[in-house]
């Protein structure tokens, strides 16, 4: 999918750059929007992404999200006396406005909450679920085993029943202190007044232009007046989204899952061959589960259970690494990268074979987090030679285009949220008149029957999302997570290890070049890793795939670290638009 050559891009960018010194928001002659100078942005005067100034220190609390606008809204909630959960709900709704390419009202996700008052840790599953009329036979499959056409990734049959609104409102009602009006109103204002388009959002609009243009309901929201993608620096306004949020403020969960919004979702999805019913939406409820709990060198790791594979496999990887002196290895040395690569192969092989929604299929969760099991697995690692690939991972269908945010306050409330519409702009179809795309989460199921991840009505597709809380001696230490599809697991485990084993701060651990490997036995490396290191890995038997200096596909970690001096350090990932703000 290629945007139509960007013929007018140069003129608009030049105009933006020429006016970048303005101190108030103004409309340029071509419709370019100039951002106020006091507002932080992730790109410079040349429209290039900056890789610095992403972190923040806070005394009362820190909000780290993938968009400055959402972080600011979350921080403002803390300033008004809200707790971390209030801030998380406000930031979540704001992200749906400012980052529609990755998440929103038509999606779903997972949330881990650590309550300072009780010390309890809660996991909220608001993942999208299969409609009641969906079946493994809902797509036509060719002789090659692949779905004929594109119905698995776009249109009505690609969408699952969205859970974001139910999940965020549940968290607010059970653990927040503020009203819907207080936490959602800032997102309404953001949608009405607009925000500045970043290189990330503009690039995603161009990347998905063919699909955005294909659906009239979508084109009128996500393309400009000329029917083209927005450019970096343009102002993006979504009044239909503001209208939807106003309904949610007034009517709560029922305002989304019943009535006019629900009817629009059902009618639009079924217009494009979907199988939605009003009953599907009315019956949606978030599920409260016990999180996965592990221990790494005395630090308690609390993360996501099934239907996410993330938490258990992160714990398994860390358990394997615990059998080696990781702290004595230089970060990103050949020996370090080799060890992580081998641990990833072992853990991802288990993920491929056993993982599914444990409400529908047996999943050996106790085995995944077992220290004894990890010790046996570690015995198979040769520290001098790469092993061949174990098996092909069938769970490679997930999109990298998710979002994560982390919030923590001085009282010890911690919130870690990973949420998504799956692919860029989800299934590409906007609920007509309401300003948000639906997800394409059905693509995360495998085709056919008899597999742990086969479709069943009401079932959630497997995920890698790994929102994680880390405690030390029962006290808050770190909260983090990342988007990145199957790379979420490797990314989160790397950042945890770098903080625990090498004493890195939050931002340093996020900035450090990353690796990725799975059962395919191809180690992916960011190109900031030296050539001599790559050569040594190849001599050890690795097939090395060089990506880029700052590879967006390696995830986008937002995290908060409780420091020894009592302050909180927020880190945000320069691989995308992330920014932490402290208070």
């Amino acid at each position: 999918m290629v945007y139509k050559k960007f013929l007018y891009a140069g003129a608009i960018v030049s105009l933006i750059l020429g006016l970048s010194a303005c101190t108030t928001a103004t409309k340029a002659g071509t419709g370019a929007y100039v951002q106020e100078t006091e507002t932080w942005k992730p790109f410079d005067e040349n429209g290039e992404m900056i890789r610095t100034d992403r972190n923040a220190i806070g005394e009362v609390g820190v909000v780290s999200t993938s968009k400055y606008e959402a972080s600011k809204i979350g921080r403002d909630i803390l300033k008004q006396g809200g707790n971390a959960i209030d801030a998380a709900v406000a930031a979540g709704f704001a992200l749906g406005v400012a980052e529609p390419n990755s998440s929103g009202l038509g999606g779903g996700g997972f949330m881990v909450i650590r309550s300072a008052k009780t010390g309890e840790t809660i996991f909220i599953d608001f993942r999208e679920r299969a409609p009641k009329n969906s079946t493994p036979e809902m797509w036509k499959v060719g002789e090659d085993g692949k779905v004929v056409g594109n119905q698995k990734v776009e249109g009505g049959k690609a969408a699952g029943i969205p859970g974001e609104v139910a999940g965020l409102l549940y968290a607010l009602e059970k653990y927040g202190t503020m009203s819907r009006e207080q936490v959602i109103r800032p997102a309404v204002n953001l949608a009405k007044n607009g925000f500045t388009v970043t290189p990330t959002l503009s690039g995603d609009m161009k990347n998905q232009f063919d699909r955005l243009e294909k659906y009239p309901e979508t084109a009128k929201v996500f393309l400009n007046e000329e029917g083209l993608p927005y450019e970096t620096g343009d102002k993006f306004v979504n009044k239909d989204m503001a209208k939807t949020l106003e309904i949610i403020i007034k009517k709560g969960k029922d305002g989304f899952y019943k009535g006019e919004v629900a009817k629009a979702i059902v009618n639009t999805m079924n217009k494009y061959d979907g199988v939605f019913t009003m009953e599907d939406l009315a019956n949606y409820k978030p599920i409260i589960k016990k999180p996965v709990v592990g221990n790494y060198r005395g630090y308690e790791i609390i993360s996501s259970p099934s239907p996410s594979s993330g938490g258990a496999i992160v714990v398994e990887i860390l358990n394997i690494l615990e059998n080696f002196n990781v702290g004595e290895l230089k970060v990103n040395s050949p020996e370090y990268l080799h060890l992580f690569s081998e641990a990833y192969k072992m853990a991802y092989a288990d993920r491929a074979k056993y993982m599914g929604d444990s409400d529908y299929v047996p999943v050996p969760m106790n085995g995944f987090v077992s220290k004894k099991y990890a010790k046996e697995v570690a015995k198979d690692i040769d520290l001098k030679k790469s092993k061949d690939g174990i098996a092909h991972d069938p769970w490679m269908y997930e999109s990298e285009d998710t979002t994560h945010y982390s919030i923590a306050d001085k009282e010890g409330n911690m919130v870690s949220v990973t949420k998504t519409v799956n692919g860029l702009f989800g299934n590409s179809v906007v609920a007509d008149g309401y300003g948000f795309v639906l997800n394409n989460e059905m693509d995360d199921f495998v085709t056919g029957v008899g597999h742990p991840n086969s479709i069943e009505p009401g079932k959630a597709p497997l995920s890698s999302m790994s929102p994680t809380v880390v405690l030390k001696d029962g006290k808050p230490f770190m909260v983090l997570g990342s988007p990145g599809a199957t790379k979420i697991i490797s990314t989160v485990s790397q950042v945890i290890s770098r903080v625990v084993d090498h004493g890195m701060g939050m931002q340093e651990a996020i900035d450090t070049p990353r690796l990725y490997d799975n059962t395919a036995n191809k180690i992916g490396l960011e190109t900031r890793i030296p050539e001599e290191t790559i050569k040594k890995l190849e001599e050890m038997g690795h097939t090395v795939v060089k990506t880029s200096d700052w590879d967006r596909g390696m995830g986008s970690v937002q995290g908060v670290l409780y420091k020894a001096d009592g302050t909180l350090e927020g880190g945000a990932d320069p691989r995308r638009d992330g920014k932490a703000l402290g208070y």
Side-chain angles (χ1 to χ4, degrees):
M1 299 182 184
V2 181
Y3 170 55
K4 296 175 180 177
K5 302 295 183 183
F6 323 141
L7 293 177
Y8 68 127
I12 291 179
V13 171
S14 296
L15 180 58
I16 293 167
L17 301 183
L19 295 174
S20 62
C22 294
T23 58
T24 58
T26 61
K27 278 279 188 177
T30 61
Y33 175 72
V34 183
Q35 188 167 321
E36 296 179 0
T37 56
E38 66 268 28
T39 301
W40 186 91
K41 55 187 178 182
F43 58 96
D44 62 19
E45 64 274 10
N46 298 314
E48 298 293 329
M49 293 289 286
I50 60 171
R51 308 298 182 182
T52 57
D53 190 27
R54 302 303 187 105
N55 63 322
I57 299 295
E59 295 181 358
V60 175
V62 168
V63 179
S64 181
T65 82
S66 51
K67 298 292 289 188
Y68 166 79
E69 295 85 357
S71 294
K72 185 176 183 300
I73 285 170
R75 182 182 63 176
D76 288 347
I77 292 293
L78 293 178
K79 286 184 176 181
Q80 293 165 24
N83 65 17
I85 293 85
D86 296 316
V89 175
F93 280 111
L95 282 170
V97 175
E99 201 177 27
N101 45 329
S102 295
S103 74
L105 303 181
F110 301 129
M111 180 184 297
V112 177
I113 297 174
R114 192 265 182 181
S115 169
K117 185 176 181 179
T118 65
E120 179 187 13
T121 306
I122 305 99
F123 180 81
I124 303 175
D125 171 2
F126 56 99
R127 178 82 160 149
E128 304 90 331
R129 301 197 183 98
K132 69 174 185 177
N133 291 329
S134 58
T135 69
E137 295 80 23
M138 65 188 293
W139 300 300
K140 183 179 179 181
V141 179
E143 293 182 0
D144 60 358
K146 296 180 180 179
V147 173
V148 176
N150 215 28
Q151 285 193 331
K152 205 165 182 276
V153 295
E154 66 173 287
K157 286 184 180 177
I161 305 305
E164 173 157 321
V165 173
L168 293 180
L169 292 184
Y170 178 90
L172 179 68
E173 292 163 7
K174 293 293 184 181
Y175 304 102
T177 65
M178 289 183 160
S179 67
R180 292 195 301 269
E181 169 68 31
Q182 289 173 299
V183 300
I184 302 177
R185 178 60 56 187
V188 174
N189 294 336
L190 184 65
K192 283 183 178 179
N193 300 329
F195 58 91
T196 302
V197 173
T198 65
T200 303
L201 179 55
S202 176
D204 287 348
M205 287 174 166
K206 292 170 182 177
N207 179 273
Q208 297 297 307
F209 175 68
D210 289 351
R211 281 169 51 178
L212 298 180
E213 183 186 44
K214 179 178 178 180
Y215 300 95
E217 300 87 351
T218 307
K220 69 181 182 181
V221 175
F222 293 114
L223 300 179
N224 65 19
E225 293 177 357
E226 289 77 31
L228 295 168
Y230 287 80
E231 290 292 337
T232 298
D234 284 355
K235 182 181 179 181
F236 180 79
V237 174
N238 190 341
K239 292 184 179 179
D240 285 347
M241 172 75 90
K243 177 179 72 174
T244 306
L245 292 168
E246 291 274 18
I247 294 170
I248 296 170
I249 289 175
K250 183 178 180 180
K251 298 183 178 181
K253 179 175 178 284
D254 284 352
F256 185 84
Y257 291 94
K258 298 177 181 179
E260 61 180 282
V261 179
K263 288 177 183 177
I265 292 171
V266 172
N267 291 341
T268 312
M269 291 307 102
N270 293 353
K271 174 183 175 181
Y272 296 108
D273 300 319
V275 294
F276 274 39
T277 67
M278 292 292 287
E279 185 182 0
D280 284 325
L281 288 159
N283 289 342
Y284 187 93
K285 293 179 181 179
I287 301 173
I288 312 308
K289 298 182 177 181
K290 291 184 178 180
V292 165
V293 179
N295 188 287
Y296 182 61
R297 305 192 197 278
Y299 292 83
E300 190 175 9
I301 313 297
I302 304 171
S303 193
S304 52
S306 170
S308 177
S309 64
I313 303 303
V314 165
V315 170
E316 181 179 352
I317 289 167
L318 293 173
N319 282 345
I320 293 169
L321 293 174
E322 199 171 44
N323 291 277
F324 303 90
N325 293 321
V326 177
E328 295 181 1
L329 299 174
K330 181 181 177 182
V331 174
N332 286 338
S333 65
E335 295 78 15
Y336 176 99
L337 294 168
H338 171 73
L339 174 60
F340 275 78
S341 170
E342 298 303 293
Y344 290 157
K345 289 179 203 173
M346 302 292 187
Y348 276 96
D350 283 346
R351 178 186 188 274
K353 187 173 182 179
Y354 298 111
M355 271 296 186
D357 186 341
S358 59
D359 289 339
Y360 289 78
V361 295
V363 177
M365 298 297 286
N366 291 335
F368 286 134
V369 301
S370 165
K371 295 282 188 186
K372 290 182 179 179
Y373 176 67
K375 189 172 184 178
E376 291 302 311
V377 171
K379 290 178 182 178
D380 289 335
I381 293 178
D382 186 333
L383 292 177
K384 297 185 180 298
K385 184 179 180 181
S386 171
K387 285 185 176 289
D388 292 336
I390 299 166
H392 179 64
D393 187 344
W395 306 126
M396 298 302 291
Y397 306 110
E398 291 178 275
S399 168
E400 298 173 348
D401 303 298
T402 300
T403 195
H404 178 85
Y405 59 104
S406 298
I407 300 176
D409 64 31
K410 67 176 182 179
E411 303 301 326
N413 294 299
M414 306 164 77
V415 188
S416 184
V417 184
T418 311
K419 64 191 189 82
T420 187
V421 289
N422 201 37
L424 288 172
F425 295 99
N427 73 340
S428 304
V429 182
V430 165
D432 193 15
Y434 292 88
F436 61 91
V437 295
L438 271 290
N439 63 86
N440 63 351
E441 213 64 70
M442 297 296 285
D443 187 41
D444 281 0
F445 285 114
V446 299
T447 56
V449 299
H451 196 281
N453 198 32
S454 295
I455 295 173
E456 293 182 52
K459 186 178 181 180
L462 188 65
S463 172
S464 293
M465 294 188 288
S466 309
T468 300
V469 163
V470 182
L471 306 178
K472 176 65 172 175
D473 300 325
K475 298 179 180 179
F477 178 71
M478 178 169 52
V479 54
L480 76 161
S482 177
T486 52
K487 296 184 182 72
I488 293 172
I489 296 167
S490 56
T491 290
V492 170
S493 60
Q494 281 173 75
V495 173
I496 291 173
S497 172
R498 287 167 181 177
V499 174
V500 171
D501 291 318
H502 295 277
M504 289 186 181
M506 195 75 253
Q507 192 63 49
E508 182 185 7
I510 290 171
D511 288 349
T512 303
R514 292 183 191 144
L515 76 144
Y516 171 69
D517 206 340
N518 62 10
T519 56
N521 195 26
K522 291 182 180 179
I523 182 170
L525 298 176
E526 290 187 311
T527 50
R528 288 177 290 147
I529 293 174
E531 282 292 333
E532 55 266 30
T533 298
I534 293 172
K535 183 178 179 181
K536 177 64 175 177
L537 287 168
E538 290 172 339
E539 291 173 355
M540 297 169 81
H542 290 278
T543 298
V544 178
V545 177
K546 293 182 284 186
T547 61
S548 60
D549 280 2
W550 299 89
D551 181 9
R552 172 177 173 172
M554 292 280 191
S556 179
V557 175
Q558 327 302 330
V560 183
L561 177 66
Y562 286 77
K563 301 180 69 176
D565 63 4
T567 61
L568 296 91
E569 182 201 355
D573 209 314
R575 292 164 182 82
R576 302 191 195 180
D577 294 345
K579 174 62 178 168
L581 293 174
Y583 166 54

